[in-house]
């Protein structure tokens, strides 16, 4: 059973002291609970090791997909394959960050299991990197009581980007979709890490960005009306959405990357990791691996399983099936048209009130931050964020 500890002082003052007062009033604070999950040092180490091992397995699985030309099975749009292989084969296009969602690992359940890898457009960055850290400080504790070097590690990733791309200018535009405050907070945090690494950054919505296959990526500076070229672009927009909804833009981005006019983050090959079909590939390559759950394209005979769409997000279009195939629980969503996979069902650790907890471990070149989402059988966009304390 999950053990919780109350940290009664909210982190508002600490956020201001850290220079993160821009977060106050965002939708990251209201759903931060006063309770945090207690994690032992051994459990924190196990999460760190699991995420590092899983990333190596994902890289091997991605190489397998490319070598065996299994893109279609993963649901990868055909117009993305060229850009995926282009970025995969060029080490200058590093995977900036992602978040592993894991079952187990805490509260007496030592068997950590991969649920999925949010590799392309993972959120919960401000909550994990800053809010739970400030929560510790507000209650007289320090960073030694938390598995959380997320901000520093992201900064290191941006430094690595600069080192790998000396032919490009250190200019970075970070973009999200308009009218999604949570995305704005995530992009702002990435921008702060990039600034510390030495980038000149700009923040603007995707619809304000201009793209030219022959010249690169541009942004109109509202201060002087001039169009400025940016050599790095981070977009909190899913690659499959660009491929399906903006095929002309994808063609332009492919040319921009090929001609070294800009680096786009996360790189296109990240979609190999994002597709939930990769869970089946992993099971093929590493059958019965202790970190994996059996996954197939049809319901698992005699086992409870979770039906997931290949590119679903935030728990949408998910069904939990009983061993006899009957439905235990389901969620609606906008992704029902995608193909489905079936992953063995595993219980999440629970607290005394019956709430389920899913661990999220961020990976940015290495495992670097732990947080928990709290909810019911299916963790959707109503789930809350819960910090942790190591003791």
């Amino acid at each position: 059973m999950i053990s919780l500890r109350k940290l009664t002082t909210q982190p508002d003052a600490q956020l201001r002291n850290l220079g993160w007062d821009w977060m106050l009033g965002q939708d990251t604070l209201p759903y931060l609970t006063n309770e945090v999950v207690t994690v032992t040092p051994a459990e924190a180490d196990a999460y760190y090791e699991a995420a590092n091992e899983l990333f190596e397995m994902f890289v091997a699985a991605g190489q397998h997909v490319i070598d065996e030309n299994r893109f279609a099975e993963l649901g990868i749009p055909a117009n993305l394959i060229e850009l995926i292989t282009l970025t995969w084969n060029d080490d200058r296009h590093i995977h900036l960050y992602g978040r592993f969602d894991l079952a187990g690992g805490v509260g007496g359940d030592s068997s950590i299991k991969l649920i999925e890898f949010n590799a392309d457009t993972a959120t919960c960055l401000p909550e994990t990197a800053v809010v739970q850290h400030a929560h510790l400080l507000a209650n007289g504790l320090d960073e030694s009581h938390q598995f959380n070097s997320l901000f520093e590690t992201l900064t290191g990733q941006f430094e690595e980007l600069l080192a790998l791309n000396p032919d490009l200018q250190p200019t970075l535009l970070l973009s999200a979709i308009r009218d999604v405050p949570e995305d704005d907070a995530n992009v702002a945090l990435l921008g702060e890490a990039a600034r510390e690494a030495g980038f000149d950054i700009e923040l603007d919505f995707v619809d304000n960005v201009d793209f030219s296959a022959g010249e690169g990526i541009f942004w109109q500076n509202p201060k002087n009306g001039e169009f400025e070229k940016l050599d790095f672009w981070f977009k909190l927009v899913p690659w499959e959405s660009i491929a399906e909804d903006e095929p002309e833009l994808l063609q332009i981005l492919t040319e921009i990357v090929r001609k070294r006019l800009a680096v786009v983050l996360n790189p296109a090959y990240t979609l190999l990791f994002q597709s939930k079909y990769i869970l089946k590939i992993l099971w093929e390559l590493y059958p019965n691996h202790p970190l994996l759950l059996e996954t197939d394209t049809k319901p698992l005979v005699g086992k409870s399983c979770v039906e997931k769409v290949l590119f679903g997000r935030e728990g949408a279009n998910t069904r939990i099936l009983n061993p006899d195939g009957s439905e235990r629980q389901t969620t609606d969503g906008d992704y029902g048209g995608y193909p489905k996979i079936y992953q063995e069902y595993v219980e999440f650790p629970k607290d005394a009130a019956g709430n389920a907890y899913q661990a999220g471990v961020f990976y940015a070149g290495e495992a670097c931050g732990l947080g928990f989402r709290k909810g019911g059988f299916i963790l959707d966009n109503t789930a809350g964020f819960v910090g942790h304390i190591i003791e």
Side-chain angles (χ1 to χ4, degrees):
M1 181 178 290
I2 288 279
S3 176
L4 300 171
R5 174 176 166 182
K6 286 197 173 180
L7 299 180
T8 54
T9 305
Q10 287 287 33
D12 300 43
Q14 280 67 29
L15 288 170
R16 290 193 178 92
N17 292 338
L18 288 167
W20 296 91
D21 51 304
W22 54 268
M23 288 189 62
L24 298 171
Q26 296 283 355
D27 63 349
T28 51
L29 279 173
Y31 80 138
L32 178 76
T33 67
N34 283 332
E35 293 180 323
V36 294
V37 176
T38 61
V39 177
T40 68
E43 289 169 340
D45 289 344
Y47 280 128
Y48 174 81
E49 293 167 5
N52 288 336
E53 182 175 359
L54 283 167
F55 190 79
E56 291 183 2
M57 294 161 64
F58 269 83
V59 170
Q63 188 66 62
H64 171 83
V65 170
I66 292 172
D67 291 344
E68 301 298 324
N69 192 23
R70 299 182 68 177
F71 297 102
E73 292 174 63
L74 273 72
I76 303 293
N79 57 347
L80 249 178
I81 294 174
E82 183 180 0
L83 188 53
I84 286 173
T85 54
L86 188 65
T87 53
W88 182 270
N89 292 323
D90 186 341
D91 291 341
R92 294 172 294 189
H93 296 270
I94 66 171
H95 179 242
L96 182 63
Y97 82 101
R99 190 190 73 240
F100 288 104
D101 289 343
L102 306 169
V106 72
D109 182 359
S110 60
S111 58
I112 296 172
K113 299 291 185 183
L114 171 67
I115 300 301
E116 58 198 46
F117 187 22
N118 298 277
D120 184 14
T121 56
T123 54
C124 280
L125 284 167
E127 301 92 313
T128 304
V130 181
V131 178
Q132 68 168 342
H133 173 66
H135 205 191
L136 278 188
L137 299 182
N139 288 274
L141 299 162
D142 61 35
E143 54 266 16
S144 67
H145 292 274
Q146 212 164 70
F147 167 25
N148 188 7
S149 61
L150 177 52
F151 185 77
E152 297 80 4
T153 309
L154 280 170
T155 300
Q157 284 287 85
F158 282 113
E159 291 171 346
E160 178 77 359
L161 262 177
L162 288 177
L164 289 171
N165 295 275
D167 56 317
L168 300 180
Q169 295 298 309
T171 51
L172 171 67
L173 175 64
L174 302 104
S175 301
I177 297 171
R178 196 179 294 272
D179 299 326
V180 188
E182 178 192 359
D183 288 0
D184 296 344
N186 281 272
V187 166
L189 183 137
L190 288 166
E192 290 297 321
R195 195 197 310 275
E196 287 210 6
F199 276 94
D200 297 322
I201 72 158
E202 301 292 348
L203 306 174
D204 209 341
F205 298 114
V206 173
D207 54 278
N208 284 340
V209 186
D210 285 350
F211 305 91
S212 165
E215 298 183 59
I217 298 174
F218 293 83
W219 165 79
Q220 188 173 20
N221 190 328
K223 295 177 182 176
N224 56 23
E226 297 290 326
F227 282 89
E228 300 177 3
K229 183 178 184 297
L230 289 305
D231 284 5
F232 295 82
W233 182 48
F234 175 87
K235 41 105 213 121
L236 201 65
V237 182
W239 274 112
E240 72 272 16
S241 297
I242 296 175
E244 294 163 2
D245 302 335
E246 302 282 349
E248 292 180 1
L249 172 57
L250 179 62
Q251 187 174 359
I252 293 171
L253 288 173
T254 303
E255 288 302 308
I256 286 172
V257 171
R258 188 208 314 283
K259 295 174 182 175
R260 289 291 293 165
L261 296 171
V263 167
V264 181
L265 302 163
N266 271 311
Y269 66 73
T270 310
L271 197 59
L272 298 176
F273 303 157
Q274 183 74 38
S275 169
K276 293 182 182 63
Y277 195 95
I278 201 76
L279 301 171
K280 178 181 183 296
I281 301 285
L282 286 166
W283 189 255
E284 291 176 18
L285 298 178
Y286 305 96
N288 300 304
H289 190 285
L291 292 173
L292 301 179
L293 294 166
E294 182 180 356
T295 305
D296 207 340
T297 54
K298 55 186 182 299
L300 306 177
V301 177
K303 293 182 179 179
S304 294
C305 59
V306 183
E307 179 188 89
K308 301 178 178 182
V309 291
L310 297 193
F311 294 115
R313 293 170 189 270
E314 295 185 320
N317 300 104
T318 299
R319 291 199 305 156
I320 298 177
L321 304 179
N322 294 312
D324 63 1
S326 61
E327 188 177 281
R328 180 176 180 182
Q329 191 163 0
T330 186
T331 58
D332 296 327
D334 299 326
Y335 310 103
Y338 286 116
K340 299 172 176 63
I341 55 96
Y342 298 83
Q343 182 185 54
E344 182 181 353
Y345 174 76
V346 63
E347 293 274 355
F348 289 120
K350 293 184 171 62
D351 62 18
N355 298 299
Y357 290 75
Q358 176 182 269
V361 177
F362 276 94
Y363 185 94
E366 68 172 326
C368 56
L370 171 67
F372 291 88
R373 298 189 73 208
K374 168 185 171 184
F377 280 120
I378 299 174
L379 291 167
D380 56 19
N381 58 6
T382 65
F385 177 86
V386 183
H388 75 283
I389 182 170
I390 297 175
E391 57 182 17

